[in-house]
Amino acid sequence: MEGISEATSNGQQTSNAQSKIITCKAAVVWAPGEPFILEDVEVEPPHKMEVRIKILFASICHTDLSAWKGENELQRAFPRILGHEAAGVVESVGEGVEDMKEGDHVVPIFNGECGDCAYCHSEKTNLCNKFRVNPFKSVMVGDGRTRFSVVDRRNGERRPVYHFLNTSTFAEYTVVDFACVVKINPEAPLDKMCLLSCGISTGVGAAWNTANVTKGSSVAIFGLGAVGLAVAEGARLRGASQIIGVDINPDKFAKGREMGITDFVNPKECSKPANEIIKEMTKGGVDYSFECTGNLGVLREAFVSTHDGWGFTVVLGIHLSPRLLPLHPMELFDGRRIIGCVFGDFKGKSELPNIVDKCMKGEININLDGFITHELPFAEINRAFQLLEEGKSLRCLLHL
Ligand SMILES: NC(=O)c1ccc[n+]([C@@H]2O[C@H](COP(=O)([O-])OP(=O)(O)OC[C@H]3O[C@@H](n4cnc5c(N)ncnc54)[C@H](O)[C@@H]3O)[C@@H](O)[C@H]2O)c1
Ligand SMILES: *[C@@H]1O[C@H](CO)[C@@H](O)[C@H](O)[C@H]1NC(C)=O
Ligand SMILES: CC(=O)N[C@H]1CO[C@H](CO)[C@@H](O)[C@@H]1O
Ligand SMILES: [Zn+2]
Ligand SMILES: [Zn+2]
């Protein structure tokens, strides 16, 4: 942090009397695919029902990589602060926030939980009517504005910097809606908890909540990044007897073995489609398959790799390109089911604190350390993105 200045009289209504504008470093993307630039940004105090967080750790998820590249034109709000997998400490809270205070340890969640809408009250979904994940949104719900601004070097003018996934964690300080931040046990190590704010919860939850993988069952996981390997962890902890990992990068196999993968398929080295190989390996198909690549062709492979009659496919990969699912309607009569899953079907605010406590007590034995393959200072964020893009890292932990 560079320094805290008095809030300027630019008409912004701030509800927290002590709270001032903070000038700090943030990794700003000015245009799709351009390197991150560590800029001095101004971060407004939290407005009503918002929280300002000091980010201590942030890691990079493939969804950040896709957004950085601007793979979907609708998503192109720049300059922007990306990042959604992080952990930190509450710096200040806006009017009306009662479940958090300065100093609380928190993880942001991109799929919010207001706790008050019909969706939040329903046991059937973890989506929230007001704060559900939406990669196309880039301004706060309260007033439709951003809480970040930066000076544009090209003309010297201050301009707004857009948010991402309700969290924007590649910044020393960020402002999020109360619904998108979870208070956790202060004893929990924040570096590891960072991974629970997206990738690991998503993968583990997909196995536990969405698919409800049962003991002795067979599983195929397409894409062995952090999300896919977290599915493997979830399936292993549920007692799945066969966990087949599918990836075009053979470097993922060694790590996969540690995470419970029992068999590997590299489609690049096979003369027939992965689904045919998997059906042979499992006498007709796996009980559960998980798509964790964001590739449409892979999605189809995952779907037809399951056993007819009861096969269950969970889609985790984000498919941003405007193309439709490659399924023939008649195929649905073969008894295979398919569903997408956001954030492992966990309700973030109500369930994550309990998951954190269970991890600490050893009641849930997720190998969080195994996912942190690299650590770098915040200033090396460009290298961290490169590591993920080249398939060298699972999660690179940035220290802010
Ligand atoms: N649904 C959710 O809530 C949610 C949450 C987090 C991430 N995601 C999405 O999950 C996906 C995985 O994220 P990640 O961070 O683990 O990414 P990652 O880049 O670490 O892993 C992706 C893996 O897929 C493999 N792969 C790519 N193309 C392949 C192909 N054709 N066949 C087989 N394997 C292939 C890569 O080699 C890599 O190992 C991304 O699409 C991400 O956007 C979704
Ligand atoms: C998951 O499966 C187990 C074992 O079959 C069952 O007891 C449990 O009720 C299932 N849970 C859900 C949420 O369906
Ligand atoms: C800052 C930000 O992107 N806020 C969004 C949070 O999510 C809701 C629901 O998708 C959006 O309406 C907000 O714009
Ligand atoms: Zn993510
Ligand atoms: Zn809600």
Side-chain angles (χ1 to χ4, degrees):
M1 190 183 79
E2 301 287 285
I4 297 180
S5 57
E6 286 292 326
T8 45
S9 57
N10 51 4
Q12 275 136 27
Q13 172 239 329
T14 87
S15 37
N16 188 330
Q18 285 93 23
S19 212
K20 296 172 178 131
I21 286 180
I22 289 177
T23 303
C24 68
K25 295 284 183 208
V28 175
V29 188
W30 286 88
E34 279 188 11
F36 291 83
I37 298 179
L38 239 56
E39 304 273 10
D40 291 315
V41 297
E42 281 192 5
V43 185
E44 274 181 37
H47 291 204
K48 191 174 175 182
M49 297 313 279
E50 296 173 359
V51 179
R52 189 161 60 183
I53 308 169
K54 178 172 172 54
I55 300 291
L56 296 174
F57 299 99
S59 40
I60 297 151
C61 169
H62 199 105
T63 312
D64 296 311
L65 188 59
S66 307
W68 170 61
K69 290 183 182 164
E71 282 174 348
N72 188 305
E73 62 196 31
L74 291 172
Q75 214 181 347
R76 291 185 175 184
F78 292 98
R80 202 167 197 188
I81 298 175
L82 301 175
H84 62 286
E85 202 175 77
V89 176
V90 172
E91 180 272 339
S92 60
V93 300
E95 184 194 323
V97 176
E98 294 190 334
D99 62 337
M100 278 167 284
K101 59 174 189 320
E102 186 188 336
D104 283 345
H105 287 202
V106 291
V107 292
I109 43 167
F110 62 89
N111 184 54
E113 183 186 356
C114 78
D116 206 31
C117 70
Y119 293 65
C120 285
H121 285 303
S122 166
E123 283 181 10
K124 293 183 176 165
T125 181
N126 70 336
L127 299 179
C128 166
N129 199 24
K130 207 169 168 200
F131 294 101
R132 71 167 69 176
V133 59
N134 185 337
F136 307 129
K137 294 289 169 71
S138 52
V139 292
M140 302 300 284
V141 279
D143 58 0
R145 294 174 56 253
T146 80
R147 299 287 172 266
F148 304 111
S149 66
V150 70
V151 173
D152 188 337
R153 288 200 193 90
R154 289 166 295 194
N155 56 16
E157 279 170 27
R158 181 163 288 282
R159 57 185 288 183
V161 182
Y162 292 106
H163 295 249
F164 176 63
L165 287 187
N166 278 51
T167 45
S168 288
T169 53
F170 297 148
E172 288 174 329
Y173 288 86
T174 188
V175 175
V176 303
D177 284 288
F178 80 101
C180 299
V181 51
V182 181
K183 177 178 163 178
I184 59 165
N185 188 332
E187 311 271 298
L190 281 176
D191 53 350
K192 297 186 184 70
M193 295 306 112
C194 174
L195 304 198
L196 288 179
S197 83
C198 178
I200 307 308
S201 300
T202 297
V204 169
W208 291 355
N209 305 327
T210 319
N212 194 19
V213 169
T214 49
K215 194 168 166 29
S217 56
S218 57
V219 172
I221 301 166
F222 291 74
L224 303 178
V227 172
L229 290 177
V231 172
E233 277 285 285
R236 176 182 68 79
L237 292 168
R238 276 291 177 89
S241 55
Q242 191 173 20
I243 307 177
I244 303 167
V246 184
D247 204 299
I248 48 175
N249 177 355
D251 294 346
K252 301 282 174 161
F253 295 173
K255 199 77 194 179
R257 217 172 288 281
E258 284 172 33
M259 305 280 183
I261 303 268
T262 56
D263 305 82
F264 292 98
V265 174
N266 182 348
K268 275 193 172 165
E269 287 172 359
C270 299
S271 51
K272 48 188 167 185
N275 82 77
E276 288 180 24
I277 295 165
I278 290 169
K279 282 187 184 126
E280 283 166 16
M281 289 166 84
T282 54
K283 299 194 178 67
V286 285
D287 300 314
Y288 307 97
S289 72
F290 296 84
E291 198 293 305
C292 311
T293 70
N295 176 302
L296 213 53
V298 174
L299 172 48
R300 179 163 178 84
E301 283 297 309
F303 180 66
V304 293
S305 290
T306 65
H307 205 290
D308 62 348
W310 60 78
F312 193 91
T313 298
V314 182
V315 182
L316 294 148
I318 305 291
H319 297 250
L320 284 172
S321 53
R323 284 188 294 155
L324 299 182
L325 205 60
L327 298 182
H328 190 290
M330 286 308 284
E331 289 176 323
L332 296 171
F333 293 106
D334 289 333
R336 295 186 175 94
R337 289 177 293 161
I338 181 165
I339 191 166
C341 154
V342 172
F343 194 54
D345 270 319
F346 283 118
K347 284 184 187 280
K349 275 178 88 100
S350 31
E351 292 187 88
L352 216 49
N354 191 25
I355 297 287
V356 168
D357 288 343
K358 283 189 168 160
C359 283
M360 287 179 66
K361 286 186 205 143
E363 286 169 24
I364 294 178
N365 203 3
I366 306 173
N367 176 11
L368 288 171
D369 286 316
F371 289 90
I372 303 175
T373 53
H374 299 76
E375 300 197 42
L376 286 173
F378 184 34
E380 294 191 44
I381 184 170
N382 287 299
R383 225 182 108 204
F385 265 72
Q386 204 183 341
L387 286 167
L388 184 67
E389 196 173 19
E390 291 173 355
K392 292 187 176 137
S393 65
L394 290 177
R395 284 298 186 256
C396 177
L397 194 69
L398 296 170
H399 293 242
L400 279 82

